[in-house]
Amino acid sequence: MRRAVVTIAVGGAAGVAAVAAARRMRQARVTDDRWHSITVNREREEVGPQPQPLHDLGETIQVRVRPAPGGRGTEIAARCVDAGPEGVRALRRALRETRTLVETGEILLPDSPPTTRRTPLGAPLAYATRHGRQEGRL
């Protein structure tokens, strides 16, 4: 019994440290103004000049739509113009939504409500699910 309590305490402390480190890295990384791009499996004519999720961001972004290298669909690239970390997160979310909308016809979302009970150990997974479309690889 004692070993289990120590394991949970060490695991919880490691999880808290990992979340804090990830936040620091994310805050340092999302303040740039670089181009973020996705490739969709559709022809240039099917995508249009600016897909709806990107169009909703308005004048805060610049968008380039061009054929992908090697004839592999269409490349959509976008970057924020004078927007902080929240603008970059919104852009990354819009790019992910654009990909699913263009390729499937709808914006795919995780199960809601989730199929499990809320527990303290499940909190990191719940956080990742809520914010997963704003960070990580496109």
Side-chain angles (χ1 to χ4, degrees):
M1 178 72 170
R2 186 172 183 203
R3 183 181 295 166
V5 172
V6 171
T7 302
I8 290 173
V10 170
V16 170
V19 169
R23 283 185 183 162
R24 281 193 303 271
M25 287 174 41
R26 184 177 64 232
Q27 288 172 350
R29 187 179 63 223
V30 297
T31 57
D32 59 24
D33 62 345
R34 63 189 170 108
W35 288 92
H36 300 269
S37 63
I38 58 171
T39 301
V40 294
N41 190 19
R42 294 286 182 258
E43 294 299 320
R44 169 76 171 87
E45 295 78 28
E46 295 177 65
V47 174
Q50 192 170 7
Q52 188 62 37
L54 293 173
H55 180 73
D56 292 342
L57 292 178
E59 298 293 321
T60 63
I61 62 168
Q62 294 176 340
V63 179
R64 291 189 309 210
V65 180
R66 61 184 178 195
R72 294 187 173 105
T74 302
E75 180 181 86
I76 302 170
R79 72 175 175 179
C80 289
V81 179
D82 298 328
E86 292 304 317
V88 174
R89 289 185 188 111
L91 170 63
R92 293 173 65 81
R93 175 182 220 102
L95 283 170
R96 282 191 172 87
E97 290 175 356
T98 296
R99 178 188 293 146
T100 62
L101 184 63
V102 169
E103 290 183 348
T104 66
E106 62 182 294
I107 297 174
L108 303 175
L109 301 172
D111 289 342
S112 184
T115 57
T116 59
R117 293 183 294 126
R118 298 183 82 179
T119 63
L121 294 177
L125 177 60
Y127 178 85
T129 303
R130 280 193 315 273
H131 299 283
R133 293 180 175 264
Q134 301 168 352
E135 299 293 335
R137 293 190 133 177
L138 290 172

